[in-house]
């Protein structure tokens, strides 16, 4: 039994809370979590946490925003109640896929190159452009800013000289240069009034002569044509919540974060407090060793390039072959939507293919990958995932897919998913988090939990 410790469980995953407390040999703390009629979150801790180490377990599945607000209020309540240290245990970290990087859901590049069909009047490129490899550098200004200013003055004087012999409106514009210092009557307001009066007289005489206003219409149409229009294919940057969530947890009073398989490992750098990112690879590796006969003849497959490092770590540790699915996005000329083609790099013919990924939300990636692997001759296709969020119609998509088995951990509740999907198998991670809590509480090293080779 661990002493001087309090484990508070949120509403996101009650079964995981019970598993962790049973492993630690302590009862769950008495806490009231509810909502007011207006929808605000209510948190009331009904036992003393003064001078104790508090561990708050809250996963990022289900109603993510409600669970995140519930976690923040609970952390603040514990700090207000003089807890010695508050640790947030997040099996699935909320908003972990929204790190602070330029993101475009249709894929890079953020803008499409203009062609004869969609050549815009304005561009979002800087002028002058940064020279590309093999492109000559811009000459710049020969005489600097002073030379540019003199050239502009010379152009204005040349325009005045060419217009001095005519009765054009430009004569009034430059008349004050011929008499030295401009008078008060030659200011911009007076010039504008004279020009507008002259235009009114011209338009009146035009109407009296019965002529049309085609010239004025063309000027109006040309001015409206030069209005600002976004370039086709331009996508604004999407607001990212990476640093924001990290700051919220820190400002609420969290002293330590324990999570598993962050989607973006650089997320740890957003925090000013220690973050322990546990690995789900030991569980997946153990499952392959003890549940897949003749597993060394199988092939570990990464469904995209982002998960290649994760998949190769398992393949190297088990002495298995590795394959990669490359996704290439090509924009079409008709719409801004992009066609995504998948290509297999490796050999899976007449072998068992094991897809390894950290997270499956809509399951679109793994189901398409399974279809490709079966097309390339794989006998069976398994998917091993750390976080099985499986939102939307993911369960129906898996049931209708070429996947033979999907193995996930219970970082989010899987009871309902398991009832609806006969292909689903769930691994327990409560013991891993319980051991991490015990080691952190006693000041022991948790490096053994990171070892997966």
């Amino acid at each position: 039994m661990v002493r001087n410790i309090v484990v508070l469980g949120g509403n996101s995953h009650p079964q995981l809370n019970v598993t962790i407390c049973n492993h630690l040999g302590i009862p769950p703390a008495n806490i009231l979590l509810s909502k007011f009629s207006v929808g605000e979150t209510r948190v009331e801790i009904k036992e003393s946490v003064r001078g104790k180490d508090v561990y708050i377990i809250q996963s990022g599945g289900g109603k993510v925003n409600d669970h995140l607000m519930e976690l923040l209020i609970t952390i603040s309540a514990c700090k207000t109640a003089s807890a010695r240290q508050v640790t947030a245990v997040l099996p699935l970290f909320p908003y972990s896929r929204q790190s602070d990087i330029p993101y475009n859901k249709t894929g890079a590049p953020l803008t499409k190159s203009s062609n004869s069909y969609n050549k815009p009047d304005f561009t979002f490129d800087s002028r002058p452009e940064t020279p590309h490899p093999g492109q000559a550098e811009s000459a710049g200004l020969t005489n600097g800013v002073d030379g540019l200013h003199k050239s502009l003055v010379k152009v204005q004087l040349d325009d005045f000289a060419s217009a001095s012999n005519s009765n054009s409106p430009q004569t009034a514009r430059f008349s004050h240069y011929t008499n030295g210092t401009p008078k008060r009557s030659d200011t911009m307001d007076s010039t504008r009034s004279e020009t507008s009066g002259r235009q009114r007289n011209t338009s009146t005489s035009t109407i009296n002569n019965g002529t049309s206003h085609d010239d004025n219409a063309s000027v109006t149409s040309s001015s409206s044509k030069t209005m600002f229009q976004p370039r086709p294919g331009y996508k604004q940057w999407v607001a990212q919540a990476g640093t924001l969530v990290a700051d919220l947890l820190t400002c609420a009073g969290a002293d330590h974060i324990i999570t598993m398989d962050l989607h973006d490992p650089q997320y740890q750098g957003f925090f000013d407090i220690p973050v322990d990112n546990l690995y789900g690879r030991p569980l997946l590796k153990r499952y392959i060793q003890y549940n897949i006969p003749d597993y060394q003849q199988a092939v570990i497959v990464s469904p995209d390039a982002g998960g290649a490092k994760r998949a190769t770590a398992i393949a190297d540790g088990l002495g298995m072959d590795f394959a990669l699915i490359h996704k290439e996005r090509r924009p079409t000329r008709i719409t801004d939507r992009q066609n995504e083609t998948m290509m297999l790099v490796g050999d899976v013919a007449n072998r068992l293919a094991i897809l390894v990924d950290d997270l499956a939300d809509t399951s679109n990636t793994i189901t398409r990958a399974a279809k490709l692997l079966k097309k390339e001759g794989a006998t069976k296709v398994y998917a091993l995932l750390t976080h099985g969020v499986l939102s939307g119609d993911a369960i129906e998509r898996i049931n209708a897919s070429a996947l033979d088995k999907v193995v996930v951990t219970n970082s989010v509740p899987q009871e309902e998913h398991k009832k609806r999907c006969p292909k689903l198998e769930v691994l327990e991670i409560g013991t891993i988090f319980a051991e991490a809590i015990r080691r952190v509480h006693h000041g022991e090293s948790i490096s053994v939990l990171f070892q997966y080779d």
Side-chain angles (χ1 to χ4, degrees), residues 286-436:
R286 197 176 304 120
Y287 178 87
I288 294 174
Q289 287 176 316
Y290 293 100
N291 295 274
I292 298 179
D294 202 12
Y295 66 89
Q296 290 186 338
Q297 302 302 320
V299 182
I300 299 292
V301 183
S302 175
D304 52 26
K309 186 177 180 180
R310 183 183 308 106
T312 52
I314 296 178
D316 293 342
L318 296 175
M320 302 171 61
D321 291 337
F322 169 74
L324 172 70
I325 293 178
H326 172 65
K327 292 190 293 187
E328 185 177 7
R329 296 178 174 91
R330 294 174 180 263
T332 60
R333 284 174 52 182
I334 300 175
T335 63
D336 286 340
R337 297 184 61 185
Q338 297 188 345
N339 294 333
E340 186 178 78
T341 59
M342 305 181 75
M343 179 178 63
L344 178 65
V345 181
D347 183 21
V348 297
N350 301 319
R351 304 170 75 179
L352 170 65
I354 303 175
L355 287 165
V356 176
D357 206 355
D358 66 323
L359 186 145
D361 188 1
T362 59
S363 302
N364 185 49
T365 299
I366 60 171
T367 52
R368 292 189 62 192
K371 182 179 178 180
L372 176 63
L373 292 172
K374 283 290 183 72
K375 183 180 178 181
E376 294 292 333
T379 56
K380 289 185 178 180
V381 179
Y382 290 177
L384 272 63
L385 314 165
T386 304
H387 306 296
V389 179
L390 307 181
S391 62
D393 59 348
I395 297 296
E396 289 76 11
R397 186 178 285 115
I398 290 175
N399 290 333
S401 70
L403 288 166
D404 296 288
K405 185 179 291 187
V406 179
V407 181
V408 298
T409 68
N410 63 335
S411 59
V412 295
Q414 301 290 349
E415 290 80 8
E416 292 297 325
H417 296 160
K418 199 170 182 180
K419 293 178 182 177
R420 296 167 52 198
C421 182
K423 299 180 181 180
L424 196 64
E425 190 169 341
V426 182
L427 304 179
E428 179 63 56
I429 62 168
T431 55
I432 297 178
F433 279 99
E435 182 63 18

Side-chain angles (χ1 to χ4, degrees), residues 108-283:
L110 292 177
T111 59
K112 293 192 300 184
S113 59
S114 60
N115 49 37
S116 59
Y117 297 97
N118 58 358
K119 189 172 183 180
D121 295 331
F122 293 90
T123 66
F124 294 91
D125 300 327
S126 60
R127 292 292 185 265
E129 293 181 345
T130 303
H132 300 287
Q135 178 181 349
E137 295 185 0
S138 59
L141 298 177
T142 307
N143 298 323
V145 178
D146 295 336
L148 176 63
H149 179 69
K150 291 179 182 179
S151 300
L152 292 175
V153 172
K154 184 178 179 180
V155 169
Q156 290 179 346
L157 293 178
D158 292 341
D159 291 342
F160 167 69
S162 61
S164 59
N165 297 326
S166 62
N167 294 327
S168 63
Q170 293 181 352
T171 306
R173 243 178 98 198
F174 296 98
S175 60
H176 58 277
Y177 286 109
T178 57
N179 299 325
T181 305
K183 302 177 184 179
R184 182 177 180 83
S185 60
D186 293 331
T187 58
M188 184 63 69
D189 294 336
S190 62
T191 305
R192 186 184 300 112
S193 63
E194 292 174 3
T195 305
S196 62
R198 190 180 297 106
Q199 289 177 352
R200 284 196 298 270
N201 294 334
T202 304
S203 62
T204 303
S205 61
T206 304
I207 295 174
N208 294 332
N209 294 331
T211 58
S212 62
H213 297 276
D214 291 340
D215 294 338
N216 294 334
S218 63
V219 171
T220 306
S221 63
S222 62
S223 62
S224 63
K225 186 181 296 184
T226 59
M227 293 294 290
F228 176 82
Q229 295 292 335
R231 180 177 180 174
Y234 172 76
K235 299 292 182 183
Q236 295 182 354
W237 283 17
V238 181
Q240 305 302 321
T243 307
L244 175 62
V245 175
D247 291 341
L248 285 174
L249 290 170
T250 306
C251 293
D255 301 299
H256 190 191
I257 302 292
I258 300 177
T259 184
M260 176 177 280
D261 275 355
L262 283 170
H263 186 70
D264 291 325
Q266 73 268 17
Y267 209 104
Q268 301 173 67
F270 299 155
F271 288 90
D272 297 327
I273 57 177
V275 178
D276 288 328
N277 182 26
L278 305 180
Y279 295 142
R281 280 171 278 195
L283 272 178

